[in-house]
């Protein structure tokens, strides 16, 4: 883009004020040049400060099992990867991690694991949710990220205390979706969309997201992803760069990928653009950003993101939850990340929303409409 600063601001104003954001403008900004990147990110940061506040909310993340029944082509813990030590964090260790997050006044936790829908798993999660509510006197907010489930399971977990659900669409383009997933019942695009509708219907704060820089993905796909999230009126988003993993089928396309630095910059731009077209949603600064840049998460927090998910999984398991390469903090214990993160957030001009759930304001706004 060869444009003046004035022109850039006008384009951003147009996006911010538009009833129907123009795809041409979005597309130009997704892969912008340095000057436009700087403007875009500071504009998004202002939108965030004006519509929300200067808090960053913590979600203590427990990756409590890397057993997964699916075979997504991009993911390092897919069922077909035999080079993974499969683990289940014990219930007691999960509850300890939650206690730790609660004592640190994190406000919320996220429970994440590989996708399973067997009866044993559904019941285990149900019990854990109730127990978490009990040991924290109902004080801690709970987000879950446990893949596609049927309506009954989603409802059951909601009734047991989960109130936010993250389920990334990964790519809203159906053709691309089937290039990165096996084409079968277990990986159906339609089911994924239906699951998102179910979550909303049940009353969850509903989150989705995509990967950025996938093989075969175009900038037009990314524009459509942003418009999909807006059309779907999503409450929360977690999106991050795609990072190749050597034990996955997509690894053979690694030479066709954009350089990691470009994927990183594009992710920041996607976050900023989404903040501008959906000012009151929660946007997470994805951990994958830090795999590409040591200050990646901080940069996202200055570009419109307002949520961060410090890992509270006990240290001994961390090395085995590798969805992608160079995952940060795999050698750290949860306590190491606390002071590190607080310092990092201070540097972004934000403060930590200790003890607050940090619900999606969009959720409350849309339900009050
Ligand atoms: N690179 C980046 N993100 C990945 N995920 C899975 N594999 C990768 C990868 N190789 C993301 C997916 C999934 C989330 C839990 O992790 O978007 O939804
Ligand atoms: Fe399993 Fe999720 Fe990885 Fe897919 S992305 S293989 S569902 S853990
Ligand atoms: Fe984990 Fe800094 S955030 S050590």
């Amino acid at each position: 883009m060869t444009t003046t600063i004035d022109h850039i601001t006008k384009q951003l104003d147009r996006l911010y004020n538009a009833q129907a954001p123009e795809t041409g403008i979005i597309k130009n900004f997704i892969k912008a040049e340095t000057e436009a990147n700087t403007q875009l990110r500071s504009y998004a940061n202002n939108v965030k400060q004006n519509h929300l506040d200067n808090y960053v909310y913590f979600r203590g993340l427990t990756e409590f099992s890397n057993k997964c029944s699916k075979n997504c082509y991009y993911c390092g813990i897919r069922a077909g990867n035999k080079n993974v030590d499969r683990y289940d964090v014990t219930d007691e260790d999960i509850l300890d991690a939650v206690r730790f997050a609660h004592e640190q006044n994190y406000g919320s936790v996220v429970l994440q694991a590989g996708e399973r829908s067997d009866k044993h798993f559904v019941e285990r999660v149900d019990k854990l949710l109730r127990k978490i509510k009990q040991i924290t006197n109902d004080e801690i907010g709970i987000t879950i990220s446990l893949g596609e489930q049927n309506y009954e399971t989603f409802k059951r977990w909601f009734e047991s205390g989960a109130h936010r659900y993250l389920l990334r669409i990964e790519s809203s383009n159906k053709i691309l979706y089937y290039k990165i997933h096996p084409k079968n019942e277990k990986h159906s695009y339609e089911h994924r969309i239906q699951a998102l509708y179910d979550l909303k219907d049940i009353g969850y704060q509903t989150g989705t997201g995509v990967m950025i820089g996938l093989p075969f993905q175009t900038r037009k796909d990314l524009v459509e992803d942003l418009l999909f999230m807006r059309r779907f009126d999503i409450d929360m988003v977690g999106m991050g760069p795609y990072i190749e993993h050597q034990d996955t089928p997509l690894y053979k396309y690694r030479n066709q990928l954009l350089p990691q630095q470009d994927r990183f910059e594009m992710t920041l731009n996607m976050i900023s653009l989404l903040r501008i077209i959906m000012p009151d949603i929660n946007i997470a600064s994805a951990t994958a950003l830090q795999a590409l840049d040591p200050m990646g998460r901080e940069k996202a927090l200055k570009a419109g993101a307002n949520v961060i998910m410090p890992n509270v999984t006990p240290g001994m398991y961390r090395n085995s939850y590798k969805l992608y390469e160079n995952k940060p903090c795999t050698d750290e214990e949860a306590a190491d990340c606390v002071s590190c993160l607080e310092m990092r957030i201070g540097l972004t001009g934000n403060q930590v929303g200790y003890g607050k759930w940090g619900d999606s304001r969009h959720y409350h706004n849309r339900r009050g409409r």
Side-chain angles (χ1 to χ4, degrees), residues 66-79 113-115 147 170 181 187 192 321 323:
N66 65 356
K67 295 180 184 161
C68 184
S69 64
K70 288 175 90 165
N71 259 312
C72 309
Y73 290 154
Y74 42 86
C75 177
I77 64 167
R78 59 201 301 274
E115 184 174 320
E170 315 294 359
H181 297 99
H187 299 82
R192 178 68 60 121
Y321 202 86
L323 302 124

Side-chain angles (χ1 to χ4, degrees), residues 46 96 114 118 208 225 236 283 327 369:
N46 281 335
D96 276 348
D118 51 282
T208 194
D225 287 339
M236 341 182 277
I283 304 182
K327 197 164 176 247
R369 259 183 237 148

Side-chain angles (χ1 to χ4, degrees), residues 82-274:
K82 301 291 172 242
N83 299 330
V84 183
D85 286 327
R86 302 286 168 177
Y87 70 80
D88 255 304
V89 180
T90 63
D91 287 2
E92 238 350 276
D93 281 350
I94 298 173
L95 295 173
D96 276 348
V98 170
R99 278 190 199 97
F100 171 83
H102 188 226
E103 280 157 16
Q104 297 296 328
N105 225 354
Y106 275 7
S108 293
V109 286
V110 179
L111 296 185
Q112 189 171 69
E115 184 174 320
R116 284 172 56 183
S117 30
D118 51 282
K119 194 157 167 267
H120 172 79
F121 183 77
V122 172
E123 274 167 17
R124 181 180 181 212
V125 171
D126 193 63
K127 285 208 190 89
L128 274 169
L129 292 169
R130 289 170 194 276
K131 193 81 192 163
I132 290 171
K133 283 287 168 190
Q134 189 196 332
I135 63 170
T136 63
N137 310 317
D138 270 350
E139 278 165 16
I140 209 145
I142 311 177
T143 306
I144 49 180
S145 172
L146 301 169
E148 273 164 55
Q149 305 290 342
N150 61 31
Y151 192 94
E152 288 65 39
T153 302
F154 282 150
K155 191 152 196 317
R156 186 167 166 194
W157 289 345
F158 184 75
E159 284 163 1
S160 301
H163 61 122
R164 299 188 279 242
Y165 205 109
L166 289 172
L167 182 66
R168 288 186 177 180
I169 184 72
E170 315 294 359
S171 169
S172 63
N173 177 337
K174 189 170 161 183
I175 297 170
L176 179 55
Y177 191 90
Y178 282 120
K179 287 187 179 160
I180 62 170
H181 297 99
K183 197 162 189 176
N184 59 32
E185 259 302 281
K186 232 182 160 50
H187 299 82
S188 147
Y189 178 84
E190 278 78 14
H191 284 181
R192 178 68 60 121
I193 299 276
Q194 184 57 47
L196 286 169
Y197 278 114
D198 290 348
L199 291 167
K200 250 177 125 177
D201 184 64
I202 290 165
Y204 279 99
Q205 292 174 52
T206 305
T208 194
V210 296
M211 283 177 286
I212 294 146
L214 286 161
F216 321 116
Q217 191 178 43
T218 64
R219 266 198 287 158
K220 181 164 177 291
D221 290 330
L222 292 170
V223 176
E224 292 302 325
D225 287 339
L226 293 174
L227 297 176
F228 168 86
M229 295 185 230
R230 185 168 141 126
R231 240 188 351 263
F232 203 89
D233 209 12
I234 213 76
D235 303 308
M236 341 182 277
V237 166
M239 54 186 169
Y242 163 71
I243 304 174
E244 57 276 32
H245 188 297
Q246 61 174 359
D247 295 326
T248 61
L250 288 190
Y251 195 65
K252 58 175 170 294
Y253 302 111
R254 63 190 175 283
N255 297 327
Q256 299 177 23
L257 300 173
L258 289 169
Q260 288 199 340
Q261 186 62 31
D262 289 16
R263 283 178 253 161
F264 177 80
E265 301 295 340
M266 280 166 67
T267 303
L268 291 188
N269 291 349
M270 287 282 285
I271 289 175
S272 294
L273 287 162
L274 188 62

Side-chain angles (χ1 to χ4, degrees), residues 290 297 318 329 332 336-337 340-341 344:
Q290 205 187 328
R297 289 184 296 184
R318 289 194 186 192
C329 303
E332 270 72 23
D336 300 328
C337 294
C340 172
L341 267 175
R344 284 163 176 265

